Amino acid sequence: MKKITISISLLLCCSLAVAQSKIEGRLTNSKTEPLPFVSLVLLNATDTSFVKGSVSDTEGKFIIDNVQNGNYILVGSFVGYKSTLSKIEIQSKQNINVGALVLEEEPTELDEVTVTATKQQFELKQDRIVMNVGAFP
């Protein structure tokens, strides 16, 4: 009986391992320079639910392992760049190389910032109270 259960569990594990694939690729900017540490999210195409996530390495390369068969949307996002979307369909056991995904720069112009400070009117020292005359209007 033990041999049968072990055999069945091994068959189930092997069948699950066979149905899993790998997605890989490279992230670059418009000058074909690699983009390190870009966030990648693999979403289910039917309901855009989260499936897996990853981050590109220092050379802009990424790998998402153990992906089941189905239709997916791969989203790459990075601060200062427009997000990129790529539709992926996985059938049977296949490793997919999406090639170079290009993220375009998205310049953001910020408003000016003014920093102001005022000196405290009174300071408490260990043995005395100091009044700062310049702090009064």
Side-chain angles (χ1 to χ4, degrees):
M1 185 66 175
K2 287 183 181 180
K3 290 182 180 181
I4 294 173
T5 56
I6 291 173
S7 299
I8 291 173
S9 62
L10 283 174
L11 284 173
L12 287 174
C13 290
C14 292
S15 66
L16 288 175
V18 169
Q20 295 179 342
S21 301
K22 174 173 72 169
I23 300 171
E24 59 186 330
R26 189 167 176 259
L27 292 154
T28 64
N29 61 13
S30 57
K31 299 174 187 172
T32 66
E33 298 169 335
L35 289 175
F37 312 115
V38 174
S39 299
L40 292 150
V41 178
L42 190 64
L43 303 174
N44 192 332
T46 55
D47 60 1
T48 63
S49 61
F50 176 82
V51 177
K52 289 196 174 270
S54 183
V55 177
S56 64
D57 63 10
T58 55
E59 297 174 0
K61 296 178 183 175
F62 68 90
I63 296 175
I64 301 175
D65 287 324
N66 302 325
V67 180
Q68 305 258 338
N69 296 344
N71 295 323
Y72 299 100
I73 299 170
L74 181 65
V75 181
S77 60
F78 195 55
V79 176
Y81 290 84
K82 293 180 185 175
S83 295
T84 182
L85 299 172
S86 182
K87 292 183 180 181
I88 297 172
E89 182 179 351
I90 297 178
Q91 300 172 349
S92 70
K93 183 180 180 184
Q94 87 192 106
N95 293 330
I96 301 212
N97 189 334
V98 294
L101 298 176
V102 179
L103 273 69
E104 295 180 23
E105 289 187 36
E106 184 176 43
T108 306
E109 191 171 314
L110 303 175
D111 293 334
E112 67 181 50
V113 176
T114 305
V115 178
T116 59
T118 57
K119 195 169 189 180
Q120 290 184 346
Q121 295 175 344
F122 295 96
E123 290 182 45
L124 239 48
K125 301 285 183 176
Q126 276 185 328
D127 57 344
R128 63 189 181 275
I129 296 176
V130 178
M131 184 174 79
N132 293 318
V133 179
F136 290 96

